Every structure is written in structure tokens, then in C-alpha cells.
Amino acid sequence: MNQRWVGETVKIQCEADVVATRQRVKEFAGRLTFKLIDQTRIVTAASEIARNTLKYGGGGQASIDIIENENRIGIQIIFEDHGPGIPDLACAFQEGYTTGKGMGLGLSGSKRLVDEFDIQTEKNKGTRVTLIKWK
């Protein structure tokens, strides 16, 4: 079980909040002295999911935490919205699938950039995405 020991919540209601979420994740990764490539991975994944939270979930929040598990330390970001949910998760993870004008790499690309990825979604109740990157 992961132990949470530092946290911050960022509201995601407009495009500026997506940028703010990205900046806060970068600051947390810097505090843990992640290698630059790993900072880029977690920031990119967080940016993609924050954008999805705004665009498809109608806004929500991101909880950013530094966590520990056994001998590891990392960053956990939990994105939550109360939007329509994702009707077909399997389809949403297919490369190139998009309901918008993007390249269709958001969910699948974000999953590849982090060490742990979890998504829970329910029709008309919203979506919760958890990203973890270990140092």
C-alpha cells in the first residue's frame, strides 16, 4: 500500500488550469530530483489527462502527491471529473481513436509514460485516472 505524505489539489476548470497542473507536477518531480526524461514523461502524461479532464469531463481536479512504497518514492496524480464517463474504455485505448480532433494518443500514450496507470469510469458519474511514476 502506498503511503501519501505530501499533497496538493489543483482545480481544472479552464485551459490555464491545465498549464498550472503541468507546472505543479513539474515542481513535484523536481523536488524528488527525477531525471529530466522521467520529469518529461510524468509532466506529459499529466498534461494529457488534465486536458481530457477539461475537454471530455467538463472540468474537475487533480490531486498531486508524493508517495512512498517499500523502498520507493514517487509521484501520484489522481484526476477526477463528474462528466459523462467513457462509454467504451477498450475503444478509447486503441491507438488513433479520438472523439475530438486530436491524434488519439492521450490515454494509451499517457499509460506508456508512467509506471502505474489506473482508470475508473462510470456513465454519467465521471472518470478517475490515477498516474504513478516511481523514482
Side-chain angles (χ1 to χ4, degrees):
M1 185 168 163
N2 297 331
Q3 180 181 11
R4 174 181 172 249
W5 55 275
V6 172
E8 181 174 322
T9 299
V10 180
K11 297 274 186 205
I12 303 173
Q13 300 298 320
C14 64
E15 189 63 34
D17 296 336
V18 173
V19 174
T21 301
R22 185 179 171 93
Q23 289 170 336
R24 295 303 295 143
V25 170
K26 184 176 182 179
E27 289 172 20
F28 273 65
R31 281 188 210 168
L32 293 179
T33 63
F34 271 85
K35 293 179 184 174
L36 183 57
I37 188 72
D38 289 329
Q39 285 185 40
T40 302
R41 287 179 178 136
I42 189 64
V43 168
T44 300
S47 182
E48 286 295 323
I49 302 302
R51 194 168 313 287
N52 285 356
T53 299
L54 177 62
K55 185 174 182 179
Y56 301 111
Q61 66 181 29
S63 299
I64 308 164
D65 298 300
I66 294 175
I67 58 172
E68 279 187 286
N69 184 343
E70 298 167 9
N71 295 326
R72 300 185 299 177
I73 192 166
I75 297 175
Q76 173 181 271
I77 308 135
I78 300 174
F79 294 90
E80 295 179 285
D81 68 58
H82 299 289
I86 302 170
D88 187 342
L89 266 180
C91 193
F93 273 99
Q94 291 179 358
E95 293 291 330
Y97 174 80
T98 181
T99 57
K101 297 179 182 178
M103 295 181 357
L105 299 174
L107 288 178
S108 61
S110 295
K111 184 176 182 178
R112 284 193 305 270
L113 292 171
V114 297
D115 298 316
E116 296 181 35
F117 182 100
D118 181 66
I119 186 166
Q120 299 170 5
T121 187
E122 191 174 339
K123 186 177 181 178
N124 298 321
K125 299 234 178 183
T127 301
R128 177 184 171 117
V129 178
T130 302
L131 309 176
I132 296 177
K133 186 71 178 166
W134 296 107
K135 183 167 181 220

